[in-house]
């Protein structure tokens, strides 16, 4: 089981983090010290989430970064760098908020631009790969139980081998 503390209060996050054996993530939020609002998570809490093997996803919603739409890309890059300097890059990544509940001024077509800007900010390629998805993949593989012994890196094993595997009746 994974516990997502996005939208949780500071007290609830603290209470949750007292249990070190839980798989905890914050799927999408900002850093309170950079943008003090009730929606954001305190740096000490992010540190503990990452230290315990969890994941923190940085939201692209301007209100959690305390910026205007035109400054969003700069704010995402600087916040990722801030987090990397304070908690390390291994447990942080993107928490885009692309679910449609809020309007964010960038979409997946801007990911190449974000990657380029992270490179310009002197973040290593390995750290960028982690931030762009490898860290979240690692978290999920550690947190979720495997139901069989298939190798999750071999996508061919995830595809059905015949139409019968899809539950279709034989003709």
């Amino acid at each position: 089981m994974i516990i997502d503390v996005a939208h949780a209060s500071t007290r609830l996050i603290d209470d949750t983090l007292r249990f070190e054996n839980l798989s905890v993530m914050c799927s999408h939020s900002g850093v309170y010290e950079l943008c003090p609002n009730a929606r954001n998570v305190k740096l000490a809490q992010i540190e503990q989430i990452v230290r315990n093997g969890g994941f923190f996803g940085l939201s692209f919603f301007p209100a959690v970064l305390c910026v205007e739409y035109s400054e969003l890309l700069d704010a995402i890059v600087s916040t990722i760098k801030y987090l990397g300097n304070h908690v390390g890059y291994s447990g942080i990544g993107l928490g885009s908020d692309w679910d449609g509940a809020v309007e964010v001024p960038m979409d997946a077509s801007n990911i190449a631009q974000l990657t380029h800007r992270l490179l310009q900010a002197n973040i290593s390629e390995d750290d960028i790969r982690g931030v762009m998805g490898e860290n979240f993949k690692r978290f999920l593989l550690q947190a979720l139980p495997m139901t069989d012994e298939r190798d999750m890196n071999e996508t061919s094993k995830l595809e059905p081998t015949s139409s019968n595997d899809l539950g279709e009746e034989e003709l």
Side-chain angles (χ1 to χ4, degrees):
M1 176 173 52
I2 294 173
I3 298 175
D4 187 354
V5 295
H7 300 280
S9 68
T10 298
R11 184 174 176 187
L12 179 57
I13 295 171
D14 285 339
D15 288 347
T16 303
L17 292 173
R18 285 190 295 152
F19 300 93
E20 294 179 9
N21 60 336
L22 297 177
S23 297
V24 178
M25 68 178 286
C26 181
S27 60
H28 60 289
S29 192
V31 181
Y32 183 85
E33 286 75 4
L34 299 178
C35 181
N37 69 44
R39 171 97 163 62
N40 287 342
V41 180
K42 293 188 176 180
L43 185 60
Q45 295 171 320
I46 299 169
E47 289 172 340
Q48 191 171 354
I49 290 169
V50 171
R51 184 175 52 250
N52 292 346
F55 177 80
F56 179 83
L58 179 65
S59 178
F60 296 174
F61 186 48
V64 302
L65 298 168
C66 288
V67 297
E68 300 295 323
Y69 285 115
S70 62
E71 303 165 321
L72 185 65
L73 194 56
D74 288 335
I76 293 168
V77 171
S78 64
T79 304
I80 288 171
K81 189 153 184 136
Y82 176 87
L83 286 167
N85 290 335
H86 286 85
V87 305
Y89 289 97
S90 67
I92 63 172
L94 308 181
S96 65
D97 237 348
W98 286 336
D99 65 354
V102 295
E103 183 179 330
V104 293
M106 64 180 281
D107 60 24
S109 68
N110 301 106
I111 291 296
Q113 185 180 9
L114 175 58
T115 303
H116 180 71
R117 295 289 298 279
L118 293 170
L119 286 166
Q120 287 179 322
N122 296 317
I123 299 171
S124 77
E125 288 184 20
D126 284 342
D127 288 337
I128 293 170
R129 262 192 295 283
V131 167
M132 300 305 278
E134 289 295 319
N135 294 338
F136 189 58
K137 176 183 172 184
R138 174 203 43 81
F139 170 73
L140 290 176
L141 288 174
Q142 289 175 352
L144 297 175
M146 295 295 290
T147 57
D148 59 29
E149 295 190 25
R150 69 179 159 205
D151 180 0
M152 294 303 290
N153 291 321
E154 294 182 35
T155 57
S156 64
K157 291 187 176 182
L158 298 178
E159 297 174 8
T161 56
S162 73
S163 62
N164 283 341
D165 290 344
L166 295 173
E168 297 175 7
E169 294 181 30
E170 288 191 39
L171 300 176

